[in-house]
């Protein structure tokens, strides 16, 4: 059974995508978390460039414009917000997520394999659920659910 290099790289990109989505939620409050996000995104772009022999198409889609508008709006809302630092910090977080999502978009736009991306999101959700149960405990999660 032969496995092609591009197939192996696609599987590695899928694993990195799962890691990226998992770290978005698990390491969100850690200061070094943003480096893990950006590093995984850059590695995905690098591996994608290897698959496509160094040719990466950068296309601006409506997602980019709407997200940029929302980030600007969030940053401007710090002018009238009760807690302007919190509003501005949210816009910085959105900017970081936008950067990672745009780098991830370069690969999945070209490959056209949206089911692979959805599968990565699904498995990242499973990992976050297992992490949450392990970290907080099932009894604590059920007790907090009763308060809702």
């Amino acid at each position: 059974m032969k496995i092609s290099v591009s197939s192996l790289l696609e599987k590695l990109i899928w694993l990195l995508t799962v890691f990226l989505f998992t770290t978005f939620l698990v390491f969100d409050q850690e200061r070094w978390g943003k480096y893990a996000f950006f590093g995984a995104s850059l590695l995905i772009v690098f591996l994608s460039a290897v698959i496509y022999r160094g040719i990466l198409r950068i296309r601006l889609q409506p997602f980019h414009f709407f997200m940029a508008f929302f980030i600007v709006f969030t940053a401007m809302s710090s002018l009238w917000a009760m807690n302007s630092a919190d509003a501005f910090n949210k816009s910085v977080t959105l900017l970081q997520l936008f950067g990672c999502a745009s780098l991830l978009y370069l690969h999945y736009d070209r490959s056209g394999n949206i089911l692979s991306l959805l599968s990565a999101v699904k498995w990242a959700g499973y990992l976050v659920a297992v992490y949450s149960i392990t970290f907080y405990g099932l009894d604590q999660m059920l007790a907090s659910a009763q308060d809702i």
Side-chain angles (χ1 to χ4, degrees), residues 24-31 33 90:
F24 276 148
L25 298 169
V26 174
F27 301 128
D28 182 44
Q29 299 299 315
E30 303 292 334
R31 289 197 56 76
K90 292 299 178 193

Side-chain angles (χ1 to χ4, degrees), residues 63-77 90-91 94-95:
F63 159 76
H64 295 98
F65 296 111
F66 290 130
M67 191 68 179
F69 176 74
F70 184 62
I71 291 169
V72 169
F73 175 77
T74 306
M76 288 177 51
S77 72
K90 292 299 178 193
S91 66
L94 284 172
L95 186 61

Side-chain angles (χ1 to χ4, degrees), residues 2 76 84 97 122:
K2 279 189 159 182
M76 288 177 51
S84 60
L97 290 172
K122 175 183 75 173

Side-chain angles (χ1 to χ4, degrees), residues 28-47:
D28 182 44
Q29 299 299 315
E30 303 292 334
R31 289 197 56 76
W32 53 268
K34 60 184 165 193
Y35 301 116
F37 306 153
F38 196 62
S41 299
L42 285 178
L43 194 53
I44 289 170
V45 169
F46 174 75
L47 293 175

